[in-house]
Amino acid sequence: MSFIEPFRIKMVEPLPNPTREERLKILHESGYNPFQIKDKYVTFDLWSDSGMASMSQHQWAAMVDTSEGCINPESFDAFVDSIKRLTGFPYILPVHQGRAAEHILFSVLARPGLTVFSNTMYITGRKNAELSGAIVVDVPCKQVAGGYFNGDLDCARLQEELREVDAGKAIVILTLTSNNQAGQPVSMANIKHVSEICKMHDTPLFMDGCRFAENAYFIKTRNKMYQDVPARDIALEMFSYFDGMYMSAKKDGLCNIGGFFATRLSDIYGKFKRRMIYIEGNSNHGGISSRDMEAVARGLWEGTDDRYLKYRVESLTTFGDILKKAGVPLVEPVGSAIYINAAKCLPHIPTEQYPAWALHCALYVEGGIRCKHLHDVLKVDDTNERENPKQQHFIRLSIPRRTYTLSHLIHIGSVFKKRRSISGVLIKCPSEHYFAAIMEPVRKC
C-alpha cells in the first residue's frame, strides 16, 4: 500500500451499529430486500458513490459565505469560471444533478429516427433518450481479461453502424468511466478515435463525465505516455475531443447535489438554455442553490488534484486486494468500483436461487453492509453461468469519496470470510423493479 488519506478528519458521524440479531430482524421485516432498509440501520452504505462524498472545509466555508440569489447570483460566476478553466468548454449551464442534464439534452436532440450510440449508457440517460423517441445502441469493446481500458467503445462497429444511419440521425455518448463495463476506464486513444469517426460522419459526440477525473487518473497510471502529466491536463485533452458533456457533480465533483451541461456548440447551448427554464429554472441557477454552486466550483478542483486521485484510485485497488485475499472473485483490474461475481463467490447456491441477492442479504446480516445489484438481477435461469455470468449475477460495491477509512475497508473484507454458510433466496412477491421485490430465504439465516 503506497497511499495515505490526504486529509485530516475534522468532523465525525457515528456509524450505525445494530447487533446481528437486530439486523436479521430488520432484514426479515424488509422482505429480505436491503433496499427497503432505513439508512439509519446501515453501517456501511456502499450502494452508491453518488452524493455521499465528505465535503471539505473550503467547500463548506464557501457555502456559508455566499448569499442566495435567484436571478444573477455571484456563485454562478464562480461556477462557470471553474468549469470553463477545467474543461475548456465556453458554454456552461448548471443543473441540480446529472439526470436533469440528460433529460434536457435528449428532449432537445432526441426524436423518433435518431440513434444514440455509446460504449454503454447509464440507465437514466438511456431512458431519457428512449422517452424522447430515440433508439439506444451500446457498442462496447470486447472485454480483455486484465485489460487496462475495458471501458472503450468498439470503433470498428461504430464506423459500420454510422455508415448505415442517415446524416443527422445519430449522436454518440461516451461514458467515463463506464458503469456498465464494471467501472472500467476509456483510453485516450479510444476517445480520440471515436472523435475522428464522429467528425467524419458529422455526428455530435458528448461525454457522460460523472467520473471523468478518475478516468483521467487511470490514463495517467495505465498509459506510460501520460505518467508525468497532471490529471487535470489529461482531462483537458479528453474534453478537447468532445462537442460537449453532461455531469453529475455528485461523484468526481465531491458534492452532495449539483451538476452541469457544457458545450462548444452555440446552437445546442441555446436550445438547452431555453428548454431548461421550464424544467430546471433560470439558466443562472439551474434548480440548485447558490451555496451548492459554490460547493461544485471548489469540489471539481479538489476532485482533479493528483494527490487526492492517487488516494482515491489506490484505495479502491487496495480494497480489491483485501477482497482477493479473502478469496472473493472480482473484476480486474479494479475500476471506479468493486464488481463481484456472486455466482462464482457462492458456488453452493444454484443460479436460480439468486446468488447476488443472497450475498447482498448476508453482507447486511453479518456486517451491516448495503451494496447494489446490477440490472435484471431477478432475471435468472438454471444454466451454469458461473465462469462467464450475466450481469445479474454481480453485485457492485461503491466507495463514497473521503468517507470511509482503510480500517473500514479491512473490516468489510473480513465479512466475506463467512460466505460459505449463505443460503439462496426465492421470490415471494415479484416486482418490475428490484427495489420493491419481496424475497424469502431458502432456509433460515
Side-chain angles (χ1 to χ4, degrees), residues 219-239:
I219 290 173
K220 177 181 176 70
T221 56
R222 297 182 183 183
N223 185 334
K224 290 182 179 179
M225 287 179 57
Y226 290 92
Q227 62 185 3
D228 297 322
V229 182
R232 285 195 192 116
D233 291 346
I234 296 171
L236 192 60
E237 181 182 345
M238 285 162 40
F239 296 133

Side-chain angles (χ1 to χ4, degrees), residues 187-397:
S187 67
M188 189 70 82
N190 190 250
I191 294 170
K192 187 175 182 179
H193 194 186
V194 172
S195 178
E196 291 168 350
I197 293 170
C198 287
K199 286 182 171 63
M200 188 186 309
H201 292 273
D202 196 24
T203 298
L205 173 62
F206 292 93
M207 177 198 293
D208 177 347
C210 293
R211 298 175 181 84
F212 79 88
E214 290 176 12
N215 199 99
Y217 197 78
F218 281 125
I219 290 173
K220 177 181 176 70
T221 56
R222 297 182 183 183
N223 185 334
K224 290 182 179 179
M225 287 179 57
Y226 290 92
Q227 62 185 3
D228 297 322
V229 182
R232 285 195 192 116
D233 291 346
I234 296 171
L236 192 60
E237 181 182 345
M238 285 162 40
F239 296 133
S240 72
Y241 299 118
F242 290 84
D243 296 304
M245 68 175 294
Y246 53 85
M247 179 184 180
S248 166
K250 295 160 66 177
K251 287 86 167 174
D252 280 354
L254 302 178
C255 292
N256 304 134
I257 199 68
F260 64 87
F261 173 70
T263 184
R264 60 183 91 260
L265 304 176
S266 59
D267 58 332
I268 299 298
Y269 167 76
K271 291 176 181 178
F272 194 110
K273 185 176 181 180
R274 288 189 292 273
R275 182 63 62 90
M276 75 178 290
I277 293 173
Y278 305 106
I279 298 172
E280 282 287 275
N282 186 289
S283 60
N284 282 12
H285 63 76
I288 60 174
S289 64
S290 292
R291 59 181 175 271
D292 288 317
M293 282 195 284
E294 290 283 0
V296 172
R298 283 156 177 77
L300 284 168
W301 284 85
E302 293 177 15
T304 51
D305 175 72
D306 277 12
R307 189 172 171 226
Y308 158 75
L309 284 168
K310 175 181 171 65
Y311 144 74
R312 170 65 181 171
V313 169
E314 291 189 9
S315 62
L316 285 164
T317 302
T318 299
F319 187 35
D321 291 340
I322 291 167
L323 294 175
K324 283 192 295 180
K325 286 180 182 177
V328 178
L330 48 86
V331 176
E332 297 183 78
V334 171
S336 289
I338 305 292
Y339 288 73
I340 295 172
N341 181 341
K344 203 171 180 179
C345 188
L346 305 176
H348 61 287
I349 296 181
T351 54
E352 67 268 25
Q353 292 182 9
Y354 307 99
W357 199 292
L359 179 57
H360 192 181
C361 288
L363 289 175
Y364 177 72
V365 171
E366 300 299 338
I369 301 161
R370 178 160 57 196
C371 52
K372 188 181 190 302
H373 307 135
L374 301 193
H375 304 303
D376 298 327
V377 66
L378 297 178
K379 296 179 182 177
V380 303
D381 55 39
D382 59 359
T383 58
N384 188 348
E385 301 169 339
R386 297 189 195 281
E387 295 304 320
N388 297 291
K390 299 174 182 176
Q391 66 171 0
Q392 53 262 45
H393 296 314
F394 281 81
I395 60 170
R396 186 186 77 192
L397 277 59

Side-chain angles (χ1 to χ4, degrees), residues 17-24 26 365:
N17 192 31
T19 65
R20 185 184 187 279
E21 290 71 26
E22 289 170 336
R23 292 195 296 267
L24 190 55
I26 290 165
V365 171

Side-chain angles (χ1 to χ4, degrees), residues 27 31-34 346 349-362 373 377-378 380 422-428 438-443 445:
L27 184 65
Y32 291 88
N33 187 336
L346 305 176
I349 296 181
T351 54
E352 67 268 25
Q353 292 182 9
Y354 307 99
W357 199 292
L359 179 57
H360 192 181
C361 288
H373 307 135
V377 66
L378 297 178
V380 303
I422 296 173
S423 165
V425 295
L426 298 172
I427 299 175
K428 184 176 182 181
I438 298 176
M439 310 293 282
E440 59 183 356
V442 172
R443 58 179 172 79
C445 299

Side-chain angles (χ1 to χ4, degrees), residues 126-191:
R126 177 182 298 274
K127 292 301 181 184
N128 274 306
E130 291 173 344
L131 286 170
S132 297
I135 298 170
V136 178
V137 178
D138 288 337
V139 284
C141 70
K142 183 178 180 180
Q143 299 295 289
V144 177
Y148 283 164
F149 295 104
N150 275 330
D152 281 358
L153 184 147
D154 186 334
C155 290
R157 186 179 164 199
L158 177 66
Q159 186 84 275
E160 292 173 5
E161 294 277 3
L162 288 176
R163 288 195 191 105
E164 301 298 320
V165 176
D166 293 337
K169 294 291 186 71
I171 62 174
V172 178
I173 307 289
L174 266 182
T175 305
L176 277 62
T177 56
S178 185
N179 229 9
N180 291 337
Q181 291 167 285
Q184 295 297 303
V186 180
S187 67
M188 189 70 82
N190 190 250
I191 294 170

